Amino acid sequence: MNKKTLIAAIGFAISSLSAMAQTQPIAIAIHGGAGTIEKSRFTPEQEKAYRAKLKEAVEVGYKVLESGGESLDAVTAAINILEDSPFFNAGKGAVYTYDGSHELDASIMDGRNRQAGAVAGVKTVKNPIDLARSVMENSVHVMLSGAGAEQFAKQQGFDFVDNSYFDTKHRYEALIKAKKKLDAANKTSKDYQAAHQALESEYKMGTVGAVALDKNGNLAAGTSTGGMTAKRFGRVGDSPVIGAGTFADNRSCAVSATGHGEYFIRYSVASDICARVEYQGKSIEQAGKEVIHDVLMPIGGTGGVIIVDTKGNISMPFNTKGMYRASKSSSQETQVGIFKND
């Protein structure tokens, strides 16, 4: 090969790589929880505020991807916005436990290598998703809980807040209503399990999460929550459980879930969806629909998921009246939804 031919070949290779970089899709989807979300419960001002916060979160995450950032960074950035908002059951807007405090859970997963980090039952860490990521990157473990997780956070130089930082009026009112219902049920039965099952689903769900695909083709997923209203005994839901509330693998897809956590744990919802994509060759739309509507719905499992695959496709199925959600990709402008018909 002569010099001119070699130069031409190098130029062609560079232009081809540049074209590939330009055509590599990027995508992000977020959720702020699913449940009994009806338009009649919102004033026009409230609905506008919720939509604006969802739009802000997805666009903050997308800017990370657009500037060449990693999917993990996009997921973390988007979830931070939602954790810092009193609108959602995570961080500042977390629900109350039965005893009147807050216990927070979160997890994150890297699709490149299935590395993952999670925390459960933390009480004084402002942004649990950041601590989950630190567990993934700076510890030899996957999940840390309670006082041990907070000890690790202190070692890692995290800032702490008082548990009262997470207080919000509307979550406290929800706790009072839930406890009244539990107390009324306990008068006819001393069975705590039966009494708790009698609570409406709105008390049992609420989460935030994000999934993303970056320009290098890497997927990531993250989920953060305050858990279940009036939860007791150190209850932990699906959000910090890898394979249940969070899953990401570059061979299939990335998933973040929201719903009644006990069902999502027992049916390994997030990993089941990705397994159907990887091993059965199904689209994320088909796999998500099967798990959310055909597997969970018949046995009383309410909720939804957000999914993104390696091609930048996005799917956000849910079997409830609504799900706070938003998405954006290199082939799709920002979309924001709350109700089923959005």
Side-chain angles (χ1 to χ4, degrees):
M1 183 181 291
N2 60 41
K3 188 175 181 180
K4 286 185 178 181
T5 304
L6 179 60
I7 292 172
I10 292 172
F12 178 77
I14 291 173
S15 63
S16 297
L17 288 171
S18 176
M20 286 176 64
Q22 291 175 1
T23 57
Q24 168 61 40
I26 56 173
I28 185 169
I30 66 166
H31 70 76
T36 309
I37 304 170
E38 297 175 315
K39 198 173 182 68
S40 60
R41 295 189 177 192
F42 290 80
T43 65
E45 293 75 20
Q46 287 173 328
E47 182 180 338
K48 184 179 179 181
Y50 272 86
R51 290 184 184 276
K53 186 57 66 174
L54 291 166
K55 183 174 186 288
E56 177 189 355
V58 80
E59 292 190 345
V60 163
Y62 189 80
K63 283 180 182 177
V64 173
L65 300 173
E66 196 172 35
S67 64
E70 293 190 348
S71 52
L72 284 169
D73 295 326
V75 162
T76 306
I79 292 177
N80 282 162
I81 297 293
L82 301 174
E83 286 178 330
D84 291 343
S85 169
F87 295 159
F88 308 102
N89 178 17
K92 177 62 179 174
V95 298
Y96 287 78
T97 67
Y98 188 89
D99 296 322
S101 65
H102 308 275
E103 296 175 358
L104 313 176
D105 309 327
S107 66
I108 194 165
M109 190 168 186
D110 186 342
R112 289 174 294 193
N113 49 22
R114 287 205 187 188
Q115 289 294 307
V119 293
V122 296
K123 298 181 178 181
T124 59
V125 176
K126 182 183 178 186
N127 294 104
I129 193 65
D130 294 344
L131 183 55
R133 182 166 178 179
S134 187
V135 171
M136 177 180 71
E137 295 177 338
N138 302 317
S139 82
V140 296
H141 307 297
V142 171
M143 184 186 290
L144 302 180
S145 66
E150 300 202 346
Q151 182 181 1
F152 176 75
K154 185 176 182 180
Q155 184 187 89
Q156 293 296 306
F158 275 73
D159 293 327
F160 289 84
V161 295
D162 189 83
N163 194 251
S164 62
Y165 162 81
F166 304 109
D167 292 354
T168 51
K169 182 181 177 182
H170 68 291
R171 298 298 188 195
Y172 185 72
E173 291 172 349
L175 172 67
I176 299 304
K177 289 179 182 178
K179 290 182 75 169
K180 284 182 179 178
K181 291 177 181 290
L182 286 170
D183 291 343
N186 282 330
K187 288 180 181 179
T188 57
S189 171
K190 297 300 180 184
D191 186 343
Y192 169 77
Q193 185 178 24
H196 208 280
Q197 286 175 343
L199 283 176
E200 291 89 342
S201 62
E202 64 187 279
Y203 295 107
K204 302 173 183 177
M205 51 214 305
T207 316
V208 307
V211 293
L213 170 71
D214 64 31
K215 68 170 188 176
N216 296 314
N218 294 318
L219 294 167
T223 312
S224 181
T225 187
M228 181 186 288
T229 302
K231 62 183 179 179
R232 301 179 75 178
F233 316 121
R235 180 263 185 184
V236 176
D238 66 303
S239 295
V241 179
I242 299 302
T246 302
F247 196 78
D249 189 326
N250 282 1
R251 295 176 298 182
S252 54
C253 58
V255 178
S256 175
T258 172
H260 191 165
E262 279 67 18
Y263 290 93
F264 282 68
I265 292 172
R266 298 205 307 262
Y267 284 83
S268 302
V269 166
S271 60
D272 185 11
I273 290 170
C274 291
R276 290 167 189 252
V277 172
E278 181 177 358
Y279 301 121
Q280 298 180 354
K282 292 177 177 175
S283 67
I284 56 171
E285 183 176 5
Q286 184 179 4
K289 178 181 179 297
E290 287 177 355
V291 174
I292 295 301
H293 293 284
D294 302 338
V295 175
L296 287 180
M297 197 66 177
I299 46 92
T302 51
V305 292
I306 51 174
I307 320 167
V308 64
D309 66 16
T310 54
K311 297 178 182 177
N313 297 311
I314 296 169
S315 184
M316 299 185 284
F318 56 96
N319 60 27
T320 52
K321 291 187 176 181
M323 182 170 77
Y324 299 108
R325 61 201 187 274
S327 62
K328 186 173 185 176
S329 74
S330 46
S331 62
Q332 173 210 295
E333 289 299 313
T334 303
Q335 293 186 1
V336 177
I338 297 177
F339 314 111
K340 189 178 285 288
N341 60 354
D342 281 335

